Amino acid sequence: MDINETPEIQARIAAAETRIFKAVFPSTTNHYDTLFGGTALQLMDEVAFIAATRFSRKRMVTVSSDKINFTKSIPAGTIIELVGRVEHVGNTSIRIAVEIYVEEMYSMERHKAIHGTFTFVALDEDKKPIRII
Protein backbone atom coordinates (compact mmCIF):
# COMPACT_ATOMS: atom_id res chain seq x y z
CA MET A 1 0.00 0.00 0.00
CA ASP A 2 1.25 3.49 -0.90
CA ILE A 3 2.01 5.57 2.22
CA ASN A 4 -0.41 8.23 0.91
CA GLU A 5 -3.25 5.69 1.14
CA THR A 6 -2.91 4.68 4.80
CA PRO A 7 -5.82 5.65 7.06
CA GLU A 8 -3.56 7.83 9.25
CA ILE A 9 -2.22 9.81 6.28
CA GLN A 10 -5.68 10.11 4.73
CA ALA A 11 -6.97 11.56 8.02
CA ARG A 12 -4.09 14.07 8.12
CA ILE A 13 -4.76 15.00 4.47
CA ALA A 14 -8.43 15.64 5.23
CA ALA A 15 -7.59 17.69 8.34
CA ALA A 16 -5.09 19.84 6.40
CA GLU A 17 -7.65 21.08 3.85
CA THR A 18 -7.58 24.87 4.06
CA ARG A 19 -10.26 27.35 2.97
CA ILE A 20 -9.91 31.12 2.91
CA PHE A 21 -12.50 33.66 1.77
CA LYS A 22 -11.68 37.14 0.47
CA ALA A 23 -13.63 40.03 -0.99
CA VAL A 24 -12.26 41.36 -4.29
CA PHE A 25 -11.93 45.11 -3.84
CA PRO A 26 -10.96 47.60 -6.56
CA SER A 27 -7.50 48.04 -4.96
CA THR A 28 -6.64 44.44 -5.98
CA THR A 29 -7.82 44.70 -9.60
CA ASN A 30 -6.23 45.69 -12.88
CA HIS A 31 -7.41 48.12 -15.58
CA TYR A 32 -10.07 45.57 -16.63
CA ASP A 33 -11.52 45.60 -13.08
CA THR A 34 -10.51 41.97 -12.57
CA LEU A 35 -8.22 40.48 -9.93
CA PHE A 36 -4.52 40.89 -10.74
CA GLY A 37 -2.99 37.53 -11.72
CA GLY A 38 -0.07 38.18 -9.37
CA THR A 39 -2.42 38.82 -6.48
CA ALA A 40 -4.22 35.55 -7.24
CA LEU A 41 -0.87 33.69 -7.27
CA GLN A 42 0.14 35.26 -3.95
CA LEU A 43 -3.13 34.20 -2.34
CA MET A 44 -2.83 30.70 -3.81
CA ASP A 45 0.73 30.31 -2.50
CA GLU A 46 -0.43 31.46 0.94
CA VAL A 47 -3.29 28.95 1.17
CA ALA A 48 -0.99 26.20 -0.17
CA PHE A 49 1.62 27.08 2.47
CA ILE A 50 -1.00 26.90 5.21
CA ALA A 51 -2.27 23.50 4.00
CA ALA A 52 1.28 22.13 3.74
CA THR A 53 2.14 23.38 7.21
CA ARG A 54 -1.10 22.05 8.72
CA PHE A 55 -0.31 18.62 7.28
CA SER A 56 3.39 18.46 8.16
CA ARG A 57 3.69 20.78 11.19
CA LYS A 58 7.20 21.56 9.89
CA ARG A 59 8.91 24.59 8.37
CA MET A 60 7.85 24.63 4.72
CA VAL A 61 9.13 26.60 1.74
CA THR A 62 7.69 26.87 -1.76
CA VAL A 63 9.93 25.21 -4.36
CA SER A 64 7.65 25.38 -7.40
CA SER A 65 4.27 26.23 -8.80
CA ASP A 66 2.93 24.31 -11.75
CA LYS A 67 0.08 24.50 -14.23
CA ILE A 68 -1.69 27.58 -12.96
CA ASN A 69 -4.79 27.77 -15.14
CA PHE A 70 -6.74 31.02 -15.25
CA THR A 71 -10.01 29.82 -16.74
CA LYS A 72 -12.33 32.68 -15.71
CA SER A 73 -11.68 36.27 -14.76
CA ILE A 74 -12.48 37.40 -11.23
CA PRO A 75 -14.26 40.77 -11.23
CA ALA A 76 -14.15 43.41 -8.51
CA GLY A 77 -17.13 43.20 -6.18
CA THR A 78 -17.11 39.41 -5.87
CA ILE A 79 -16.14 36.98 -3.13
CA ILE A 80 -13.47 34.37 -3.72
CA GLU A 81 -12.87 31.13 -1.89
CA LEU A 82 -9.42 29.59 -2.03
CA VAL A 83 -9.27 25.86 -1.29
CA GLY A 84 -5.95 24.11 -0.67
CA ARG A 85 -5.80 20.32 -0.58
CA VAL A 86 -2.89 17.92 -0.16
CA GLU A 87 -2.46 16.12 -3.47
CA HIS A 88 0.69 14.07 -2.81
CA VAL A 89 3.13 13.51 0.06
CA GLY A 90 6.73 12.56 -0.70
CA ASN A 91 9.70 12.03 1.58
CA THR A 92 10.64 15.70 1.99
CA SER A 93 8.14 17.40 -0.31
CA ILE A 94 4.40 17.85 -0.52
CA ARG A 95 2.23 18.93 -3.45
CA ILE A 96 -0.82 21.08 -2.77
CA ALA A 97 -3.64 21.67 -5.27
CA VAL A 98 -5.29 25.07 -4.97
CA GLU A 99 -8.57 26.18 -6.52
CA ILE A 100 -10.12 29.63 -6.50
CA TYR A 101 -13.89 29.84 -6.74
CA VAL A 102 -15.63 33.12 -7.47
CA GLU A 103 -19.06 33.96 -6.06
CA GLU A 104 -21.36 36.81 -6.92
CA MET A 105 -22.07 38.83 -3.79
CA TYR A 106 -25.81 39.11 -4.34
CA SER A 107 -26.68 35.81 -6.02
CA MET A 108 -25.92 32.13 -5.58
CA GLU A 109 -23.79 31.99 -8.73
CA ARG A 110 -20.41 30.32 -8.13
CA HIS A 111 -17.77 28.87 -10.45
CA LYS A 112 -14.15 27.75 -10.44
CA ALA A 113 -11.91 30.48 -11.87
CA ILE A 114 -8.31 29.37 -11.25
CA HIS A 115 -6.55 26.17 -10.30
CA GLY A 116 -2.93 25.12 -9.92
CA THR A 117 -0.43 23.16 -7.87
CA PHE A 118 2.37 24.18 -5.52
CA THR A 119 5.22 22.06 -4.19
CA PHE A 120 6.81 22.64 -0.80
CA VAL A 121 9.82 21.15 0.95
CA ALA A 122 10.20 20.69 4.71
CA LEU A 123 13.37 22.22 6.18
CA ASP A 124 15.20 21.80 9.47
CA GLU A 125 16.79 24.59 11.51
CA ASP A 126 19.83 24.54 9.17
CA LYS A 127 17.59 24.91 6.11
CA LYS A 128 18.26 21.33 5.01
CA PRO A 129 15.44 19.13 3.67
CA ILE A 130 13.92 16.78 6.25
CA ARG A 131 11.36 13.98 6.12
CA ILE A 132 7.75 15.05 6.30
CA ILE A 133 6.36 11.82 7.70
Side-chain angles (χ1 to χ4, degrees), residues 1-13 16 52-58 60 86 88-94 120-123 129-133:
M1 176 186 291
D2 179 5
I3 187 74
N4 287 280
E5 296 175 6
T6 65
E8 176 192 349
I9 298 301
Q10 287 298 308
R12 284 177 62 186
I13 287 171
T53 302
R54 290 180 72 206
F55 176 87
S56 68
R57 298 299 173 174
K58 303 204 184 299
M60 305 300 289
V86 175
H88 178 77
V89 180
N91 291 323
T92 62
S93 66
I94 187 168
F120 292 80
V121 169
L123 300 178
I130 56 172
R131 290 187 62 82
I132 291 178
I133 50 176

Side-chain angles (χ1 to χ4, degrees), residues 7-26:
E8 176 192 349
I9 298 301
Q10 287 298 308
R12 284 177 62 186
I13 287 171
E17 181 176 293
T18 301
R19 295 172 176 269
I20 295 175
F21 290 87
K22 297 275 190 182
V24 180
F25 293 113

Side-chain angles (χ1 to χ4, degrees), residues 36-46 65 68 70 100 118:
F36 276 114
T39 301
L41 288 171
Q42 176 187 355
L43 293 169
M44 292 174 79
D45 187 39
E46 181 180 342
S65 59
I68 308 299
F70 295 82
I100 298 181
F118 295 77

Side-chain angles (χ1 to χ4, degrees), residues 37-103:
T39 301
L41 288 171
Q42 176 187 355
L43 293 169
M44 292 174 79
D45 187 39
E46 181 180 342
V47 78
F49 166 78
I50 294 168
T53 302
R54 290 180 72 206
F55 176 87
S56 68
R57 298 299 173 174
K58 303 204 184 299
R59 291 178 181 89
M60 305 300 289
V61 294
T62 308
V63 294
S64 71
S65 59
D66 187 35
K67 297 182 183 175
I68 308 299
N69 295 307
F70 295 82
T71 55
K72 296 204 184 287
S73 61
I74 300 175
T78 56
I79 298 168
I80 56 173
E81 179 184 19
L82 296 101
V83 182
R85 293 183 181 100
V86 175
E87 193 171 78
H88 178 77
V89 180
N91 291 323
T92 62
S93 66
I94 187 168
R95 188 172 60 243
I96 308 294
V98 179
E99 298 171 323
I100 298 181
Y101 294 89
V102 61
E103 298 179 6

